[in-house]
Amino acid sequence: DLNDYLDRKPNAMSGGQRQRVSLGRAILRNPKVMLLDEPLSNLDAKLRAQMRSEIAKLHKELKTTFIYVTHDQVEAMTLGTRVVVMKKGVIQQVDTPKNLYDYPENKFVAGFIGTPQMNFFECTLEKVGEKVSVAFEKSNTKLVLPYNDLLKVNPNYLDGKHKVYLGLRCENVSLDKSIVEKSNSLVDVKISHFEELGNETLVYGDINMEGDGFQETNTRIIIKAASREGLEVDSVVKVHFDISKAHFFDYETEQSILPRLPKDNVISAKISSNVASLLSASIKLPEVFAHVQG
């Protein structure tokens, strides 16, 4: 889109136009590695989307490595084959875009990847028998879940004393009546305001009945909905939490306590007649356990 400006001097061009000239000049050198430092930052939204496609096409045609610096997570997720997430110069996680989204290693990565950002709540987890109670801070809501849903959570955090962050993306929270009616994981939310985006509506609210839903706190919640029909500001509604999609982080370190592959875990088992019964499995033990009962 520079054909109309070929007779212009650089100082007569906009920042976005000069940026595109720089990109073209770099490509002409046929480099082994392309270093791009926020190349689309001065472009408007439409041209930025167009240029993302052009850069992806160039990457495929040139078959060379692109190191691409950006603060725009959409660019990182759509263009990157491997993404390095950094905070204050320190690498937080290196992975594919999908793994960053599905398996964030800490709260910063979880909040940085995804639009709108992930909802975070302070809570405690307490295992009682084969159930786990989830108690939210500044809310009267308590969820009781099957232990099987939280098997990968580090068992040290299931004592009801360790405060943790529960993270849940807005697409894993639902106001849909058909889902709410069948749900066993319901949370009361006081609606504060809406953002209508045409094809969807973002519903803002708070699980703290004293909260205002505008401040970015650990009780505010953002929900994706098809529309705001039947919803009113300041009304209190039941919302389904899909805990199977939840993420949990240590309150102090903000590191994930729900690893993709746990290093270890603790599971209750019964031993009788040389057979250990745990969950739905029975495992025959070596003879050395012949006299163990319990």
Side-chain angles (χ1 to χ4, degrees), residues 73 85 92-93 99-120 165-169 247-249 254 256:
Q73 57 156 296
V85 181
Q92 303 294 306
Q93 188 171 347
N99 282 346
L100 286 176
Y101 190 84
D102 292 338
Y103 307 105
E105 291 182 2
N106 58 46
K107 184 172 176 274
F108 176 80
V109 175
F112 184 76
I113 301 295
T115 303
Q117 80 159 33
M118 185 181 287
N119 297 302
F120 293 106
Y165 286 110
L166 185 158
L168 205 56
R169 299 197 184 279
H247 301 265
F248 294 91
F249 306 94
E254 298 189 351
S256 174

Side-chain angles (χ1 to χ4, degrees), residues 12 23 33 41 44 52 82-84 86 94-95 114 125 141 146 153 165 184-185 193 202-203 220 243 280 284:
L23 188 59
V33 178
S41 59
D44 60 50
R52 278 203 304 268
R82 299 283 288 180
V83 180
V84 181
M86 301 184 74
V94 184
D95 219 320
L125 308 173
T141 301
V153 173
Y165 286 110
N184 293 319
S185 302
H193 61 290
L202 297 182
V203 182
R220 188 186 76 165
I243 298 295
S280 59
K284 189 171 182 180

